[in-house]
Amino acid sequence: QICLSLVKLLFYLAHSPLGSIVLLDFQPRQFVMVDGNLKVTDMDDASTEELSCKEDNDCTLDFPTKSFALKCSVVGKCEGINEKKNLFNAYRYFFTYLLPHSAPPALRPLLSDILNATGDLRYGINETLRAFEKVLHLYKSGLYLQKRPLLLKDYISLKGFRTVEGEDYKCWPSYSHLGCLLSIHSPEEAAAICNSQSQCQSFIITQQRTWTGRPLASFQSSWTDLIPDTNAVVYIKRSASSGTRL
C-alpha cells in the first residue's frame, strides 16, 4: 500500500502542470500516510529545474552506491533526470525495505522484477505504475492463486461464532502482534494457509477488511471457548474436532 501510493505520487510529480518535479530532500521522514495515501509533508525542497547539458557526459546521475548515464536532449536538458532521481530514491528508501517481505509467494517474483527494474532504472515511472497495478489486480482478484487440491472440505464451519480473543501463535506477516492475522482471498485460501502451519487447528473469518477489500482471517492453535458473533464464521479441522461434540 505504501509503495503503490508513493508510485502514484511520483507519477503525478513527473506529469504535473508545472513540469517534472524532483524532491531534492527525499527522505522517509518527508512523507506521512493520510487516509491510506502517502503525502509529502514538505515541498520547500521541490524543484522543476532539470539539469542543463551540452553532451551526454554532462548527464550523470550519481547516488552513493550507483551512477547512471542519461541522455542530453536537443533542448540542452538531461532527459528525465527529475523523474529518475525520484524513482531511484523510492527504490532505495522504500522498495528495498517493503516489497520483498509481505506478498503471497506467487506474487513475489513480480515484485522482485519491479525491485530490480527500478534499482537499475530500466523502468520509468509509467512502467513502474503499470507493474504495480498489475500486481494489485492479481492480488485483489485472486488470480495469483495456483490450482491446488480443495482443502476446505477437511474443515467444519460454524456460522455465527468466533473464539475468545487472546494471544496465540505468531506468523509473518501478521496484522496483529498477538497472533496470526492474515488477509485472504477466500476461505479456501485460508484452509491452505492453515494446513501449511503446524500449529493451526482452526481459523475465523469476520467482516473486517483490508485496504484492498480482502477479508482478514485469524488462525488459531485451538478452537475452544467459542462465543456468539453474527459477523463471523469459524472453521475447525475435522481431525481436531473428531471425538468431540460441537
Side-chain angles (χ1 to χ4, degrees), residues 44-198:
D44 289 347
D45 294 311
S47 173
T48 58
E49 291 295 320
E50 291 196 308
L51 186 64
S52 297
C53 58
K54 293 183 179 179
E55 56 184 29
D56 291 349
N57 288 338
D58 298 327
C59 294
T60 301
L61 184 56
D62 289 316
F63 293 96
T65 58
K66 274 190 176 182
S67 295
F68 300 94
L70 306 183
K71 296 290 186 181
C72 182
S73 72
V74 293
V75 296
K77 298 289 184 181
C78 296
E79 287 185 358
I81 191 168
N82 288 353
E83 173 188 329
K84 293 179 185 297
K85 186 177 291 187
N86 283 341
L87 190 54
F88 189 79
N89 278 327
Y91 159 81
R92 67 180 180 137
Y93 286 120
F94 287 89
F95 297 171
T96 53
Y97 298 105
L98 299 177
L99 285 186
H101 306 298
S102 59
L107 291 178
R108 288 175 192 167
L110 297 178
L111 294 177
S112 180
D113 288 345
I114 294 175
L115 195 64
N116 292 333
T118 53
D120 294 334
L121 287 184
R122 287 184 284 111
Y123 280 2
I125 192 63
N126 295 356
E127 296 87 350
T128 303
L129 181 57
R130 282 198 296 269
F132 267 101
E133 289 179 336
K134 176 183 177 181
V135 174
L136 179 63
H137 171 68
L138 294 173
Y139 184 60
K140 292 174 70 173
S141 65
L143 291 173
Y144 67 92
L145 293 170
Q146 300 170 345
K147 290 184 178 179
R148 63 183 76 188
L150 298 179
L151 302 172
L152 199 60
K153 66 182 187 314
D154 298 328
Y155 290 77
I156 298 169
S157 65
L158 297 174
K159 294 182 179 180
F161 289 94
R162 64 175 174 83
T163 57
V164 177
E165 292 183 7
E167 283 202 43
D168 208 315
Y169 75 91
K170 312 295 193 300
C171 68
W172 175 260
S174 176
Y175 282 81
S176 169
H177 68 281
L178 296 176
C180 185
L181 184 66
L182 302 174
S183 77
I184 57 166
H185 176 257
S186 64
E188 187 64 52
E189 183 182 14
I193 293 172
C194 189
N195 276 27
S196 70
Q197 298 173 344
S198 60

Side-chain angles (χ1 to χ4, degrees), residues 10-47:
L10 298 187
F11 179 85
Y12 173 79
L13 294 179
H15 301 285
S16 84
L18 299 175
S20 183
I21 299 174
V22 63
L23 302 176
L24 298 174
D25 187 19
F26 198 115
Q27 299 283 342
R29 64 173 180 268
Q30 300 282 28
F31 300 89
V32 64
M33 290 292 285
V34 180
D35 296 328
N37 294 306
L38 207 67
K39 306 285 186 182
V40 183
T41 60
D42 185 1
M43 292 292 289
D44 289 347
D45 294 311
S47 173

